[in-house]
Amino acid sequence: AARSSSMPPLPWPSFSPPFSVEAVASSGGQIMPPLMGAGAFVMVELTGTPYTQIITAALLPALLYFIVVWFGIDAYARRLDLGGLPPEQQPEAREVLVTSAFFMVPFAVLLGAMFWAGYTPQYSAALAIIAGAFLLLTGADMRLDLRRTVARVEVALIGAARQVSLIAAIILCASIIIGVLAMTGLGVKITSLILSASNGNLWPSLLLTALACLVLGMEVPTTAAYVICVSVAGPALTALGLEPLQAHLFVFWFALLSTITPPVCGAVFIAAGMAEENWLRVALTAMALGVGLYLIPLGMIARPDLIRLAEAPGSALLSAAFVGGGCVIISYALIGLRRPVQTVAGLVLGLAMIFVSWGA
């Protein structure tokens, strides 16, 4: 929809909200349980924490991320006077239901095997793969077509081989780097450097770690950036009082920064190419929509109960209300408010809700 001529100019020029939404939403898939990409399985190996405990701890922050994105999209829609798709362009209800059912079957098998049957994550994943393989036999038309199935199997095998090779290469290279850091003592030196540069204070150490994650994420995939960064910064964060899982989740979230943060923002470049739009404009909008990616990890530190849903659900939900409310206010201040004074006031209020103790 075209913007009305009476609308005031946006704080940044010529945004492309629809494709920024794609970049931000795609980035969120790596932090959303139950899968969380390969990072969650690597976290299991590094921390010795059960997989179910990791995804439970990561659930509330991930939900908050998408809630904040949703409110940001709504603010853009109101500001730009965007409407929904006309009825003739909307997919049929049957098509949506059938397609969703096909996606849900492997996920249901995975979750059921882990949480109800009590199988290991590896065995549960194998069962989900088998269920997905059976789905190749049919499609939305519910017909058995041998020729179509053979073509699908070929595509699935090639895609799976590429993904497995990519993950194996990431873990192998990261293991080599970690081994070199351990043998040369460089990891200990980097840890000491972080502690000395921050003068033993937690928040400066967190900011230095976030910067390191952003720099590493420019060169390597998210999982590799997480593994490398947590191997050198993790000991420093735990030495300053963070729980191991808290430190790992913090580093894992900030390893995603480079997906939407210039100068190297892979998801933004892909979305901008699809839209044939200036990548910097898309990046600025993506950063405003994805403001939760920058603030929620800090909220995990300011309010540790946020990741303790299993141990203290009441305190976790209360912390989620403060952190989520603060992020929503900041998102609306950046996107929906039109006057600098209002924007600054919204930013201050949002930050206060996240970081100031209000008796929670």
Side-chain angles (χ1 to χ4, degrees):
R3 189 176 66 182
S4 171
S5 58
S6 62
M7 293 292 290
L10 292 170
W12 299 298
S14 185
F15 282 110
S16 298
F19 290 92
S20 298
V21 171
E22 170 60 30
V24 174
S26 299
S27 301
Q30 299 186 64
I31 56 175
M32 186 67 191
L35 295 183
M36 299 173 62
F41 295 97
V42 176
M43 198 178 299
V44 170
E45 298 296 328
L46 294 179
T47 64
T49 305
Y51 180 77
T52 52
Q53 184 176 338
I54 289 177
I55 63 176
T56 303
L59 180 60
L60 278 181
L63 290 176
L64 290 182
Y65 173 80
F66 284 103
I67 289 172
V68 174
V69 173
W70 186 87
F71 274 97
I73 295 170
D74 182 70
Y76 268 125
R78 292 176 183 274
R79 180 143 195 174
L80 301 178
D81 195 24
L82 299 176
L85 286 175
E88 61 271 11
Q89 295 185 17
Q90 297 178 9
E92 296 181 0
R94 179 183 178 279
E95 181 183 352
V96 174
L97 290 175
V98 172
T99 304
S100 301
F102 272 86
F103 277 105
M104 288 302 298
V105 168
F107 285 109
V109 172
L110 176 66
L111 296 178
M114 280 197 302
F115 291 102
W116 285 281
Y119 295 134
T120 64
Q122 295 85 348
Y123 190 73
S124 302
L127 293 178
I129 292 172
I130 294 173
F134 276 109
L135 293 177
L136 297 175
L137 298 174
T138 186
D141 55 6
M142 306 305 293
R143 291 189 304 106
L144 294 177
D145 188 331
L146 183 59
R147 181 175 298 178
R148 181 177 60 183
T149 299
V150 171
R152 287 179 170 180
V153 169
E154 179 184 0
V155 174
L157 291 176
I158 294 175
R162 288 175 176 170
Q163 292 296 322
V164 171
S165 301
L166 175 62
I167 295 172
I170 291 172
I171 295 176
L172 176 62
C173 294
S175 300
I176 293 174
I177 294 175
I178 293 173
V180 170
L181 293 174
M183 294 179 65
T184 60
L186 183 60
V188 177
K189 293 179 181 178
I190 295 177
T191 300
S192 302
L193 178 63
I194 292 176
L195 291 173
S196 61
S198 62
N199 198 25
N201 295 315
L202 177 60
W203 288 101
S205 298
L206 292 173
L207 295 178
L208 290 173
T209 302
L211 179 61
C213 290
L214 175 61
V215 173
L216 284 172
M218 294 179 185
E219 300 295 335
V220 295
T222 300
T223 302
Y226 152 67
V227 172
I228 297 169
C229 197
V230 83
S231 66
V232 295
L237 298 181
T238 53
L240 292 171
L242 294 188
E243 299 174 0
L245 182 56
Q246 196 179 15
H248 278 255
L249 284 174
F250 175 85
V251 173
F252 184 63
W253 271 65
F254 271 109
L256 285 171
L257 284 185
S258 62
T259 59
I260 62 173
T261 307
V264 179
C265 36
V268 167
F269 278 118
I270 295 173
M274 293 168 57
E276 298 182 355
E277 178 61 272
N278 182 286
W279 70 270
L280 185 57
R281 295 171 181 168
V282 178
L284 291 175
T285 316
M287 292 172 67
L289 286 174
V291 68
L293 188 61
Y294 302 88
L295 296 176
I296 293 175
L298 299 175
M300 297 181 198
I301 309 302
R303 301 182 180 274
D305 287 340
L306 181 61
I307 62 173
R308 295 173 183 162
L309 181 61
E311 298 87 356
S315 298
L317 292 173
L318 183 59
S319 297
F322 278 108
V323 175
C327 290
V328 167
I329 291 174
I330 291 173
S331 177
Y332 186 76
L334 292 173
I335 298 170
L337 298 181
R338 306 175 185 180
R339 297 179 181 177
V341 175
Q342 294 176 334
T343 300
V344 172
L347 294 177
V348 172
L349 177 60
L351 291 174
M353 287 191 65
I354 296 173
F355 296 106
V356 177
S357 176
W358 298 78

